[in-house]
Amino acid sequence: MRLARKICLSLESSLLSVRKRGVKTANFYVLRGVQMPAVLVEVGFLSNKYEELQLTQWKFKSDIAGAITEGVKSYEQEYLVRLGH
């Protein structure tokens, strides 16, 4: 949940045009069947014409990737602090 929150916060601060849906839990195998932190990120839906258009834009996809990266980095920094490194 910590990793998901960090990514969500980063997406919220970086992508102001994206509808905020928050962090949710699910019993997907790809989330529960791993031995490391794992998240699924939904940044838009193809059934929404506006979101579909955004998802075709290279800059939008690049911004998403950057925000997810920053969220992961933030999680890593918090994790290292908790370990005392």
Side-chain angles (χ1 to χ4, degrees):
M1 288 301 289
R2 284 185 172 125
L3 175 58
R5 284 189 197 103
K6 291 290 187 179
I7 291 172
C8 190
L9 286 171
S10 182
L11 285 165
E12 287 176 355
S13 65
S14 299
L15 302 171
L16 301 177
S17 66
V18 173
R19 183 174 166 211
K20 313 318 184 259
R21 293 179 176 94
V23 175
K24 297 176 179 54
T25 61
N27 195 26
F28 297 125
Y29 181 79
V30 294
L31 298 176
R32 65 178 158 78
V34 296
Q35 299 299 314
M36 71 222 47
V39 298
L40 294 176
V41 180
E42 291 182 331
V43 293
F45 296 95
L46 297 178
S47 58
N48 178 304
K49 292 296 180 191
Y50 175 72
E51 292 176 357
E52 178 185 19
L53 179 62
Q54 281 188 305
L55 289 166
T56 66
Q57 305 299 314
W58 183 89
K59 181 177 180 346
F60 182 71
K61 291 183 279 191
S62 178
D63 291 345
I64 290 167
I68 292 170
T69 300
E70 289 306 313
V72 172
K73 286 180 180 179
S74 177
Y75 171 81
E76 178 189 35
Q77 289 170 349
E78 179 184 288
Y79 181 79
L80 292 174
V81 166
R82 284 189 287 136
L83 288 179
H85 289 93

